[in-house]
Amino acid sequence: MEIIIPILICLGIAAVCAIILTVSNILFGVQEDEKFLAIRDALPGANCGACGYSGCDGYARALSEGKISETNLCVPGGDTTSQAIASVLGVEAGKTVKVFAYVGCHGTCEATKKDEKHLRDGFKTCREAAEHWEGENVCSYACIGLGDCAAACPNNAIIINDGVAKIISSLCTGCGLCAKNCPHSTIKMVEDGTIIAIGCSNHDKGALTRKMCTNGCIGCTKCARTCPNSAITMDNNLPILDHSKCTSCGLCVDACPVHVIHKDVFVCDKCFL
Amino acid sequence: MLKSLILILMGGVLVNNYVLNQFLGICPFLGVSKKVNQASGMGMAVIFVMLFATAATWPIHNLILVPLGLGYLQTIVFILVIATLVQFVEIVLKRFIPSLHASLGIYLPLITTNCAVLGVTINNISAGYNFLESMVSSLGVGLGFLLAMLLFAGVRSKLDDSNAPKCFRGLPVTLIAASIVAMAFYGFAGIVENLLA
């Protein structure tokens, strides 16, 4: 019989606790906005920050409180998420542009000798190195290759191969964190379905570029002259591709004497989460 | 009277520092000490919960359990009471002081069954403190926790920039740093007896 009293005491205290919690929840409980909950469910929950908010919760709160009306800020979620949010809010869905990361640099260790520079200077992050990244024969547009982007990527979609960041397109969700963390802005977010990409970001004159990197663009303008749709324009010795005009014919790829323009199918599997 | 209270307070902060000397509450100590502002938020939440928990558990122990001869139930009952209390405080804070809830909110659920909180309430009882002494002791322990968190957050922010050998990076070097900080705190042993002499 002695065991009854402790059991009763424990049960009694537990019951009092339960009552206090239930009553206080009824009395003081804050009802979460239904809209907020519905929007949060619609978001992918990746908390990548591509929308510009601290996470999915932050974006959902801003939407539910009416601070913003753009339903298309979620890049990983894409059109499906945009439509889901729009149906919760009762507005028309905005189009999301599918993007993924592209590294506009092919300056490998062999082409740039940057591995020697890294060893000499002992920097551990790109940001650190970019502060001191100057001097002769050093490309100030290049991928530094110390992997700030790889560290920022929530999906481990970036590896550093031969001194240059490489995007594993099957893992990229297009959140853009790598582009934000690249101190040279070498990583660019390009639209999904892009086939032609320009693999150099150097705006210097050809001779100077080639001194720094044997894979660099010489600015010969041959691609711009070859393009039948005038999709390529030259901007300070570097071709700029207008994706809306590009038909992916690939003539520029063949024309480029230094093989800086690449043809590849950049379709990002995870962009359609 | 005042002298003994000050001794209890300083003892909690420095000599019997729960984290660095008694190794209670190591989980948040390692988990939330990456940034100084997070560490201070966690420390504040712990002080807050420790004070409330002591204020609730001391009367329960001395007015309910002891008269019934059920002192051995204190662990179970205290966990129950502390968990309820933290949930209650969270609900109330969310309703009435949303700004405080926003700053402490994510840390409060972490503390519900934190061993430092349970430890301070049980140690207050076993040390035979009266209610006022218990509260002062909890405040001291809470302040000690905050101090340990802040110190260690500072150490860790330095560790991030350090060039540790590859096999030591991350948790190993953090644990080694924690042990060095703990050793430093042993220097305070014996200070309290002579503090007001």
Side-chain angles (χ1 to χ4, degrees):
Chain A
M1 285 309 283
E2 270 177 25
I3 201 170
I4 300 288
I5 295 174
I7 291 176
L8 284 181
I9 293 284
C10 276
L11 278 179
I13 291 176
V16 171
C17 289
I19 291 170
I20 291 176
L21 277 188
T22 317
V23 170
S24 64
N25 201 17
I26 295 168
L27 285 182
F28 310 125
V30 181
Q31 285 296 318
E32 284 285 11
D33 193 358
E34 278 176 27
K35 265 187 197 169
F36 166 72
L37 292 174
I39 294 174
R40 197 178 59 178
D41 286 344
L43 291 170
N47 289 320
C48 65
C51 51
Y53 289 88
S54 54
C56 291
D57 276 10
Y59 181 38
R61 200 164 290 284
L63 277 171
S64 65
E65 287 170 0
K67 282 182 193 153
I68 50 163
S69 53
E70 291 96 333
T71 61
N72 56 351
L73 296 183
C74 181
V75 178
D79 274 343
T80 3
T81 302
S82 177
Q83 274 156 14
I85 297 171
S87 68
V88 172
L89 290 173
V91 295
E92 204 160 298
K95 273 266 174 238
T96 40
V97 179
K98 296 286 177 190
V99 290
F100 62 95
Y102 175 73
V103 184
C105 177
H106 285 76
T108 56
C109 288
E110 196 196 335
T112 57
K113 306 273 184 293
K114 66 179 151 196
D115 49 343
E116 289 170 17
K117 181 170 170 54
H118 286 166
L119 281 177
R120 194 175 64 233
D121 294 352
F123 293 120
K124 292 193 293 293
T125 63
C126 300
R127 190 160 293 279
E128 212 178 318
E131 299 274 317
H132 310 274
W133 193 261
E134 52 195 26
E136 237 181 303
N137 299 344
V138 175
C139 175
S140 55
Y141 302 91
C143 172
I144 298 171
L146 291 171
D148 280 17
C149 47
C153 182
N155 306 305
N156 301 325
I158 303 181
I159 52 167
I160 306 294
N161 185 18
D162 201 8
V164 184
K166 192 174 182 320
I167 314 281
I168 304 165
S169 56
S170 61
L171 292 175
C172 175
T173 58
C175 68
L177 285 178
C178 48
K180 280 178 200 157
N181 279 287
C182 181
H184 280 173
S185 303
T186 309
I187 301 186
K188 296 168 187 74
M189 303 309 291
V190 292
E191 281 181 35
D192 197 56
T194 305
I195 289 177
I196 306 292
I198 293 160
C200 180
S201 305
N202 192 310
H203 287 282
D204 290 330
K205 286 207 173 74
L208 199 55
T209 309
R210 297 295 287 193
K211 233 181 196 174
M212 303 163 182
C213 171
T214 52
N215 284 350
C217 169
I218 53 174
C220 66
T221 73
K222 212 171 169 188
C223 48
R225 279 179 278 128
T226 312
C227 184
N229 309 308
S230 47
I232 298 180
T233 49
M234 295 303 289
D235 173 32
N236 280 337
N237 306 310
L238 187 72
I240 304 293
L241 183 63
D242 183 349
H243 291 287
S244 60
K245 287 184 191 161
C246 178
T247 56
S248 314
C249 63
L251 288 176
C252 50
V253 181
D254 301 332
C256 182
V258 287
H259 311 295
V260 161
I261 304 182
H262 294 261
K263 182 169 185 173
D264 208 340
V265 184
F266 297 110
V267 176
C268 170
D269 304 342
K270 281 282 172 66
C271 290
F272 299 96
L273 267 184
Chain B
M1 176 66 190
L2 190 64
K3 194 178 160 186
S4 73
L5 288 183
I6 292 175
L7 285 184
I8 290 173
L9 187 73
M10 296 310 288
V13 176
L14 295 177
V15 181
N16 295 321
N17 191 295
Y18 265 42
V19 175
L20 296 173
N21 220 322
Q22 314 214 355
F23 309 117
L24 292 168
I26 296 292
C27 164
F29 178 64
L30 293 176
V32 205
S33 59
K34 277 197 184 121
K35 294 204 174 101
V36 173
N37 54 349
Q38 280 184 354
S40 65
M42 185 70 185
M44 293 295 179
V46 166
I47 295 179
F48 192 71
V49 171
M50 276 181 178
L51 286 175
F52 269 92
T54 309
T57 51
W58 195 90
I60 286 177
H61 184 265
N62 283 296
L63 300 178
I64 299 175
L65 296 182
V66 169
L68 290 168
L70 297 174
Y72 59 88
L73 278 181
Q74 61 176 348
T75 308
I76 295 175
V77 171
F78 282 12
I79 287 179
L80 201 61
V81 171
I82 293 168
T84 311
L85 191 82
V86 174
Q87 289 302 315
F88 177 72
V89 167
E90 202 189 348
I91 292 170
V92 172
L93 274 187
K94 200 172 184 183
R95 171 70 184 267
F96 293 108
I97 323 173
S99 56
L100 190 62
H101 179 262
S103 57
L104 296 186
I106 39 173
Y107 305 116
L108 280 176
L110 289 174
I111 311 169
T112 39
T113 47
N114 186 306
C115 57
V117 178
L118 183 66
V120 74
T121 54
I122 288 181
N123 280 355
N124 285 341
I125 303 290
S126 58
Y129 289 152
N130 65 29
F131 186 71
L132 186 63
E133 285 170 343
S134 295
M135 293 303 284
V136 171
S137 160
S138 299
L139 180 65
V141 169
L143 286 174
F145 185 85
L146 177 66
L147 179 69
M149 291 289 281
L150 286 178
L151 283 177
F152 196 54
V155 171
R156 274 184 93 160
S157 66
K158 293 276 177 198
L159 273 185
D160 283 347
D161 299 332
S162 69
N163 198 359
K166 208 164 193 176
C167 55
F168 277 110
R169 277 183 205 162
L171 197 56
V173 79
T174 308
L175 287 171
I176 291 171
S179 67
I180 294 173
V181 175
M183 278 202 283
F185 257 69
Y186 272 100
F188 288 116
I191 201 176
V192 156
E193 285 79 7
N194 305 315
L195 197 61
L196 298 175

